Amino acid sequence: MDRFRIAGGTRLQGTVRISGAKNSALPAMAAALLSPEPVHLKNIPRVRDIITMGRLLAHMSVRVETPDLPPTDLTIQAEKISDAEAPYELVRTMRASILTLGPLVGRLGHARVSLPGGCAIGARPVDLHLKALEQMGAEISTEHGYVAARVPAGGRLPGGQVIFEKITVTGTENILMAAVLADGETRIENAALEPEVIDLIELLVKMGARIEGGGTSSLRVQGVQKLCGATHSIIPDRIEAGTFLVAGAITGGAVEVAECLPQHLVSLIAKLRETGVNIEQPNDHTLRVCGSRKLIAADVRTEEYPGFPTDMQAQFMALATQADGASVITETIFENRFLHASEMMRMGASISIDGRKAIVRGPTRLQGSSVIASDLRASASLVLAALVAQGMSYVDRVYHIDRGYERIEEKLSRLGAHIERVS
Ligand code: UD1
C-alpha cells in the first residue's frame, strides 16, 4: 500500500496548474447515459474515482474511450445499455456511483444500484434521492442491499414536484438527470447551488435538455423525448485549487494557482485573508498566494455553496494549527468529519473537539510523524500539516488522496516540496 514520505519545512514556490473538477466530471460521465450519441468531455482529472466511474459505465456496455494521451479527454457513448445495474463491488469504492440511478431511470424506466452504505465521515444516506424519485413517479424498493427504481406503468417517468428538505449536491444532480427525459415537467425546490451542479446543467442543456432557473435554488425541467451528444469542458477543481492555496499559505511560500476559477473560491479566499494570508488575483483564472505574514486565528463554519466548503474544512484546520490564537471550526454538513484532528494532534497540534466544533489553538510547532489518512480531504490536510512539520512524516493510505487529487505529490514536488510516494 502506497504512502507519502514528506520532509517538512520547505517554502513552496512556483506555479501549479489546477485539473478538472472530479465532482463535476463524475456527474458529467453519468449524464452520458442519457443519450445514445457520443458525449465528449474535456479537462477530465486523472484520478481514481474517474477510473471507477469509467468501469461502472463499461459494465453497462457503454463505450468509454480516452482519445488523448495522457487522457484528459473522454468520449462516452451509451448507444445501448446492456445492464441497468451498478454492482456493489464498484459502488462500495465510490459513493458517487449513485449518480447513475437518475439517468438510468430517466432513459430506461428502470435501474438497480447498490446502496452505498456509510463512510468514514458520516452515515451519508441517499434517502433524499429516493424520495425525490418517488415524487417524480418512480416506484422504489430496496432488496439485498440494492435499490431498485422503476416506472410502474412502464415508459417514461411522469415528472413532478420535488422539494428537497435538505440541500444535497448529488441528490440535485441525480434528480436533474432523471427529469430531463421525463414525460412532463419537474420542479425542483431547494436545489444545490454548487458550481458542479451548474456545470452539469450546462452540459445537459448542450445535450438538448430544457432547464430553467440554473444558478438558483428553484429549477424547472421540461422533459424531452431524446437527448443528443455534446462536447463539454469540465470546470477547474475548486477544492484542489483551495488545497494549493493553503499549501502556499501554510509553508509561508509564494504559489501561483493557475487555471482555476477564483469566482468559485470567494468564501475560502475571504477566510484566508482573514487569517492574514495575502492573496492576489492577477486575472480571471489565476490566484497568487503569498504566505509570508503572520497567521491569525479565524473561525470557520462549513455551509452549502456559496458558504465555506466542507471539502476544505480539514485543510483549513491544518492552517489553523499555525495561526496565532484559537480558531473555532464548526462542521455543519457531515456529522463525523474531524477524523484528521486526532492525527494532527499526534503531530503536536492542540485541538479539542466538542460535537461539531473543533477548537484549534496555535501556533504549534508540528513534528514529523506517521499518520493515517481516513478519507479524501483528511489525507490532503495531513499532507499539508506534514509540509510544515519539523522532520519526516509518513502519510499512510494515500489511496484516499488518489481518489480525488491528480498526482498531488508531483504537483507539490514541482513547487519544491520534499515529498515522495513510497510503497
Ligand atoms: C457532495 C460531494 C462531496 C461534498 C458534499 C457536500 C460529490 C461527488 N461529492 O457529496 O465532495 O463533501 O457534496 O458539499 O459531488 N444527505 C441525506 N440524505 C440524502 C443525501 C444527503 O441526509 O439523501 C445529507 C448528507 O448525509 C450530508 C448532507 O445531506 O449530511 C449533504 O450531503 P450531499 O450534499 O448530498 O453530499 P454528497 O452529494 O454526497
Side-chain angles (χ1 to χ4, degrees), residues 404-417:
Y405 288 87
E406 185 173 300
R407 287 266 157 204
I408 194 167
E409 76 278 23
E410 286 176 16
K411 290 192 180 188
L412 285 169
S413 293
R414 266 181 247 131
L415 296 174

Side-chain angles (χ1 to χ4, degrees), residues 22-24 26-27 49 95-96 98-99 121-130 164 166-171 173 192 194 196 238-239 303-305 309-311 332-335 337 356 376-377:
K22 163 186 92 75
N23 285 355
S24 207
L26 292 173
D49 275 6
R95 295 181 45 81
I98 192 72
L99 282 167
I121 63 174
R124 295 185 88 175
V126 290
D127 56 319
L128 301 175
H129 301 227
L130 304 185
F164 282 115
K166 191 170 181 182
I167 297 175
T168 158
V169 178
T170 48
E173 292 164 347
E194 266 67 5
E196 295 76 21
R238 62 195 167 100
I239 306 302
E303 274 160 7
E304 291 89 1
Y305 190 84
T310 173
D311 284 353
T332 73
I333 308 290
F334 292 109
E335 66 268 31
R337 211 176 193 180
R356 290 191 171 218
L376 171 56
R377 306 303 168 185

Side-chain angles (χ1 to χ4, degrees), residues 305-350:
Y305 190 84
F308 190 94
T310 173
D311 284 353
M312 279 304 300
Q313 178 258 105
Q315 301 88 315
F316 187 83
M317 187 180 285
L319 187 73
T321 67
Q322 301 308 301
D324 189 22
S327 305
V328 181
I329 300 177
T330 310
E331 172 58 57
T332 73
I333 308 290
F334 292 109
E335 66 268 31
N336 191 25
R337 211 176 193 180
F338 286 141
L339 293 170
H340 42 279
S342 50
E343 295 302 291
M344 284 182 200
M345 278 148 78
R346 295 186 49 249
M347 299 175 84
S350 163

Side-chain angles (χ1 to χ4, degrees), residues 197-220:
V197 176
I198 316 296
D199 203 27
L200 174 66
I201 293 177
E202 267 182 36
L203 167 62
L204 292 172
V205 167
K206 283 182 193 167
M207 292 170 74
R210 290 175 58 197
I211 303 170
E212 281 172 34
T216 75
S217 56
S218 300
L219 302 172
R220 188 195 285 210

Side-chain angles (χ1 to χ4, degrees), residues 32-39 57 60-64 76-82 107-108 226:
L33 286 168
L34 290 162
S35 170
E37 294 175 22
V39 173
L57 297 178
M60 299 170 188
S61 304
V62 170
R63 193 166 64 89
V64 182
I76 304 175
Q77 186 170 11
E79 198 174 354
K80 288 198 186 74
I81 299 170
S82 63
R107 172 139 171 222
L108 304 173
K226 204 171 170 277

Side-chain angles (χ1 to χ4, degrees), residues 1 11 35 47 60 123 142 162 171 261 287 317 327-328 385 396 415:
M1 211 184 287
R11 290 182 171 204
S35 170
V47 299
M60 299 170 188
T142 47
V162 171
L261 280 178
L287 287 166
M317 187 180 285
S327 305
V328 181
D396 231 319
L415 296 174

